[in-house]
Amino acid sequence: MGTGIAQVAAMKGLDVILCDSHSGALERSVINTERYFKRSVAKEKLTQEDAEAAARRISASSDLQALEPADFVIEAINEDESSKKAAFLLLDQIVKPEAILASNTSSISITRIAAVTKRNSQVVGMHFMNPVPVMPLVEIIRGIATSDEVFQTAKALSEHLGKTVCLSLDRPGFIVNRILMPMVNEAFYTLMEGVGTAEDIDKGMKLGTNHPMGPLQLADFIGLDTCLSIMRVLHGGTGDPKYRPCPLLVQYVDAGWLGKKVYKGVYTYAKPLN
Ligand SMILES: NC(=O)c1ccc[n+]([C@@H]2O[C@H](COP(=O)([O-])OP(=O)(O)OC[C@H]3O[C@@H](n4cnc5c(N)ncnc54)[C@H](O)[C@@H]3O)[C@@H](O)[C@H]2O)c1
């Protein structure tokens, strides 16, 4: 998700410092960005000149300290509350006092993430959709302490990036995943109980309800680890057993079958040649 956000921001004229603690992920991100800009030129969505200018606006580092000059940070690390809190604790010390810290979390409380910082009024949720260059929505989440000014800045930034905003209260799963993820989880129950094959479940939902892709294919695309984390946030945050994660989803994640990003999830994907 970080790669997609960086691509869109750079195309809209913003300087971007892309940061990932895993150098392999950073390399993949740079390669994917080069490919994306090339494809955009080939499809005549971007001129060669604009693609080169956008590429020049992105710098990459595996050291969080590189974010020191940033005015606005959008965190998009794994969907894990303790990792996000640890990252925000560090970011709070690294970036200048007036900088805004946003989280691309799909489900985790912005209020709790903000509470580890000394700038909780300057922390906001900006939930981009996947793939970021294609999907038109940013769901903005105000923590209990998020100021009006910071909300307005996050909204203006989203709109500058060409996105439409919806505003959600800071509740588990917010709006989009409160509704979407139980459907994905139910698709895993349907698969586990043998009601249909993966292909039939996806075909049924795609053609029968006019979704662009079936829920199991969507889960592979999102990342099964992310789907499971969101279900755990919904389950833990509401205490409602209707949100319990499907054991088959748990087992796939235990097996490391995390979806398209590792070429194996519900389905198997061919690895690119280079
Ligand atoms: N995948 C989706 O469809 C989707 C959609 C909307 C929002 N999100 C949210 O975006 C976030 C990222 O999801 P993703 O699918 O891109 O995950 P991902 O696993 O593909 O990428 C996460 C990246 O964060 C890096 N990372 C982990 N800890 C770090 C740290 N402390 N410092 C720096 N880098 C660190 C990892 O190396 C990895 O490259 C999550 O909060 C997720 O809920 C995901």
Side-chain angles (χ1 to χ4, degrees), residues 239-258:
D240 191 329
K242 76 178 176 185
Y243 295 117
R244 67 199 182 285
C246 173
L248 187 66
L249 172 62
V250 175
Q251 202 173 26
Y252 276 28
V253 173
D254 286 347
W257 297 355
L258 306 184

Side-chain angles (χ1 to χ4, degrees), residues 1 20-21 25 76-79 84 104 106 128 130 222 261:
M1 288 297 289
D20 196 304
S21 54
I77 69 168
N78 306 61
E79 188 73 352
K84 288 197 189 282
N104 184 46
S106 307
F128 288 81
N130 191 12
I222 293 170
K261 63 185 165 187

